[in-house]
Amino acid sequence: MKISEKIKSVIVNFISWLFILLFTYAATNKVLDFENFKQQLGQSPLLSSFAEQVAWAVPSAEFLIVILLVLPKFRYPALVSSFVLMLIFTVYIYIILNHSVFVPCSCGGILEKMNWHEHLIFNIGFVFLALIGLWLQPTPFSTIKRKLIVVSSSALTGIIIVIALFLISENIHSYHNKFVRRLSSAPATKIKDYNLKLRSYYFAGADGDHVYLGNTTSQLLMTVVDTALNKTTIHNITLDKIDLPFRSLTIRVNGPYFYIYDGTVPCIFRGKISDWKAELYKSGSEYFTYAEAIDSTSLAVRVQKRGSGESLVGKVDLLSNEKTVLNHNLLQKQIDGLFDTDGSLMYSNEINRIIYLYAYRNQFIVADPKLNLDYRGNTIDTIAHSNIELVDLEKRGERKFAKKPLLVNKDAAVYGNILFVNSNIPGRYESLEMWKLASIVDSYNISSNSYLESFYVYDVDKQKLRDIIVHGDKLYALVGNHLISYKLQPIITANYKKQSRS
């Protein structure tokens, strides 16, 4: 059926006004929150090297297209530009979802409410709207052949731009180190996979009989799973004082006790796992972000230094009214003392040692319960200095990463004298295709300060490893919704050694 010129004009005008609204809103939002927009671009695996230029170019292009769309004389080139820009956005999101090691945060404004898949569908819809507008908009060269040439050449230009950015981007793959991992046939064997249905669980502890799971959405709920991953028991934790301004309660289990804390209050409760009732033991001391039980009456904590906000390692005595004991020298500042010292705080009951693993550099710290340094060890990669850039967003009163930081150590666990590290750095000769299918765990002997062995923990439903805990010869992993148990082989467990307590 032939469409009348009047109907064509109405459709083209409608499509043009949709693009005018979209680009006006998007560009205005970017300009009003420019520093945050530039910071978000810095997080992109494709655009981090060009964040400054792209931050100016995108809203400028959007405003220019809006002006051209308003002017009937320039509507056709404006629709061509709209098509190319939306195609660029669409291809960019496709690459992020399918060929990037990590997925950055979403866009600002109303589009921030969409996830990346919804955003992809949204963009594809506008690509087709631009095509319809181009097809119906009359031009001096309205032959079908010429329109096909314009559309195809425009599409090719947009695709080439995004692919070029991808090929020259500061992708994590460029950080291949010269080290070579030891990957034997089966240092860890998968035993069982248990679907938890939810992603909100985290490891609170483990012993010879049970794995303890906290829940970020139900913060006073404790889920106990037997080590065979067959039976689950749920307990509601009772606190003797609930009128505190809690923000985020975290549970740690170190049988026969459990501890529940919120470092922003700050407060620490302790109870017995026999009844899951907790009593307030400490309140109003130093603010802290992480806590790990040393024994029944003391915890190692990571404290934020008053004034500067720098991170320090400290010790809290639950039975004393004294302030938190702090060691100002354990964590070493490289940039700001906060972001650059981020990491994982752990405690090994078997060797009576505090271990702190940096997230953005290849170093871990081993200290005794009195916060005296034993030594500073290194993971096998060569990232000795935190590769991070920070930006202050004055309007928001925030400090954020200016671009995606190079994360060296994602997560860690300790048992006995063995440190298990979920590394984020590929070694020499390692297949990048394998990195898309699995996560790598490196093991270290703390007593001898030596690297032992590495093994893969495979993705489940395209979801990566997000938390690990070890007890005896069992490693437990949270991968997406799944709790998975692995049996560690003697090549690793033979290195377990108890050390006399200090």
Side-chain angles (χ1 to χ4, degrees):
M1 183 180 74
K2 189 174 182 180
I3 303 175
S4 68
E5 293 302 319
K6 184 177 181 180
I7 294 176
K8 287 182 180 180
S9 178
V10 170
I11 295 174
V12 171
N13 283 333
F14 177 73
I15 291 172
S16 298
W17 279 106
L18 282 178
F19 275 107
I20 288 171
L21 291 172
L22 174 65
F23 288 146
T24 299
Y25 171 79
T28 302
N29 186 71
K30 293 179 180 72
V31 171
L32 292 178
D33 202 5
F34 184 76
E35 288 300 321
N36 189 52
F37 172 58
K38 185 169 69 173
Q39 182 266 337
Q40 288 177 337
L41 290 175
Q43 302 288 314
S44 168
L46 272 71
L47 304 176
S48 59
S49 299
F50 324 102
E52 182 77 33
Q53 297 88 333
V54 175
W56 287 103
V58 171
S60 299
E62 289 172 334
F63 278 131
L64 178 60
I65 291 173
V66 167
I67 294 171
L68 295 177
L69 283 169
V70 172
L71 303 173
K73 182 180 178 180
F74 299 103
R75 182 154 291 173
Y76 190 81
L79 286 171
V80 172
S81 301
S82 301
F83 169 68
V84 172
L85 191 59
M86 293 308 298
L87 185 65
I88 287 174
F89 292 161
T90 303
V91 176
Y92 168 78
I93 294 175
Y94 177 81
I95 290 177
I96 287 290
L97 289 174
N98 295 279
H99 300 285
S100 175
V101 179
F102 65 90
V103 178
C105 297
S106 186
C107 302
I110 194 170
L111 300 182
E112 192 173 36
K113 307 301 181 184
M114 299 183 187
N115 62 39
W116 282 92
H117 289 91
E118 292 169 341
H119 201 167
L120 178 64
I121 294 170
F122 178 87
N123 283 8
I124 291 173
F126 271 87
V127 168
F128 279 106
L129 283 176
L131 284 173
I132 293 171
L134 283 172
W135 203 254
L136 298 179
Q137 173 69 16
T139 67
F141 47 94
S142 295
T143 65
I144 293 177
K145 183 177 180 180
R146 290 194 176 186
K147 282 193 173 184
L148 286 173
I149 291 173
V150 169
V151 170
S152 58
S153 60
S154 300
L156 184 61
T157 299
I159 293 171
I160 288 174
I161 289 172
V162 183
I163 291 176
L165 287 172
F166 177 69
L167 294 176
I168 63 177
S169 65
E170 277 190 20
N171 198 283
I172 191 172
H173 298 337
S174 64
Y175 290 99
H176 268 279
N177 276 212
K178 294 181 179 180
F179 68 87
V180 179
R181 283 190 169 90
R182 301 185 190 117
L183 291 160
S184 63
S185 56
T189 305
K190 184 176 179 179
I191 303 172
K192 189 167 183 178
D193 182 331
Y194 179 72
N195 191 345
L196 295 167
K197 309 296 183 184
L198 299 172
R199 285 177 51 87
S200 53
Y201 291 103
Y202 64 89
F203 286 122
D207 56 33
D209 300 312
H210 303 100
V211 179
Y212 301 91
L213 300 173
N215 194 317
T216 56
T217 56
S218 300
Q219 298 177 21
L220 291 176
L221 198 69
M222 170 54 61
T223 301
V224 182
V225 186
D226 72 316
T227 53
L229 307 191
N230 290 323
K231 183 180 178 182
T232 300
T233 308
I234 297 175
H235 303 276
N236 288 300
I237 295 174
T238 303
L239 304 181
D240 70 340
K241 188 174 180 60
I242 59 174
D243 58 346
L244 295 173
F246 300 124
R247 292 185 184 178
S248 180
L249 290 167
T250 303
I251 308 168
R252 289 288 180 262
V253 177
N254 188 18
Y257 297 100
F258 74 95
Y259 307 81
I260 184 164
Y261 68 84
D262 186 336
T264 63
V265 174
C267 62
I268 302 174
F269 295 79
R270 190 190 75 174
K272 289 190 174 182
I273 60 176
S274 56
D275 59 12
W276 297 102
K277 295 179 180 179
E279 178 183 348
L280 180 65
Y281 271 77
K282 205 78 173 179
S283 180
S285 55
E286 300 281 348
Y287 293 102
F288 61 92
T289 46
Y290 293 109
E292 291 291 336
I294 293 176
D295 52 42
S296 62
T297 62
S298 61
L299 293 91
V301 293
R302 189 182 73 182
V303 171
Q304 305 310 128
K305 186 177 179 181
R306 295 183 185 273
S308 67
E310 295 179 15
S311 297
L312 304 172
V313 174
K315 181 181 178 181
V316 175
D317 187 338
L318 298 182
L319 303 182
S320 170
N321 292 323
E322 295 182 3
K323 291 184 177 181
T324 304
V325 177
L326 300 174
N327 185 319
H328 293 259
N329 300 314
L330 277 182
L331 300 185
Q332 294 181 320
K333 173 180 175 179
Q334 291 185 335
I335 299 171
D336 71 329
L338 175 60
F339 287 88
D340 65 330
T341 56
D342 196 10
S344 302
L345 175 66
M346 296 160 281
Y347 185 78
S348 173
N349 287 303
E350 294 73 29
I351 63 172
N352 200 29
R353 285 296 181 269
I354 297 168
I355 298 96
Y356 191 88
L357 175 72
Y358 289 108
Y360 301 111
R361 60 180 109 156
N362 67 343
Q363 190 179 85
F364 60 89
I365 299 162
V366 181
D368 68 22
K370 296 181 180 180
L371 306 183
N372 297 311
L373 177 69
D374 282 352
Y375 70 89
R376 301 182 189 277
N378 293 102
T379 52
I380 53 178
D381 59 88
T382 60
I383 314 298
H385 195 276
S386 303
N387 190 345
I388 62 177
E389 293 180 20
L390 304 173
V391 61
D392 291 311
L393 306 178
E394 295 182 2
K395 289 184 179 180
R396 296 185 171 216
E398 298 176 353
R399 170 171 283 190
K400 290 186 175 183
F401 290 117
K403 66 176 186 178
K404 186 72 177 181
L406 177 60
L407 181 60
V408 177
N409 302 308
K410 287 184 178 180
D411 191 23
V414 65
Y415 181 79
N417 62 329
I418 306 299
L419 175 64
F420 299 85
V421 178
N422 176 199
S423 175
N424 196 46
I425 303 297
R428 181 181 285 185
Y429 312 127
E430 292 176 23
S431 167
L432 296 181
E433 290 303 314
M434 179 60 77
W435 275 73
K436 295 176 183 178
L437 301 174
S439 300
I440 197 85
V441 175
D442 302 323
S443 59
Y444 300 85
N445 187 315
I446 297 172
S447 299
S448 61
N449 188 16
S450 60
Y451 164 65
L452 297 174
E453 185 80 14
S454 300
F455 55 90
Y456 289 112
V457 173
Y458 286 87
D459 302 351
V460 178
D461 299 328
K462 296 185 178 180
Q463 298 296 311
K464 290 291 197 187
L465 172 68
R466 57 185 181 84
D467 200 3
I468 55 174
I469 196 167
V470 178
H471 188 85
D473 64 350
K474 299 282 183 62
L475 180 143
Y476 303 94
L478 287 173
V479 184
N481 301 337
H482 294 253
L483 169 60
I484 305 172
S485 59
Y486 288 84
K487 181 177 177 59
L488 299 173
Q489 302 304 318
I491 192 169
I492 292 176
T493 58
N495 286 272
Y496 285 160
K497 183 180 75 173
K498 290 190 177 182
Q499 178 173 307
S500 61
R501 288 182 172 267
S502 301

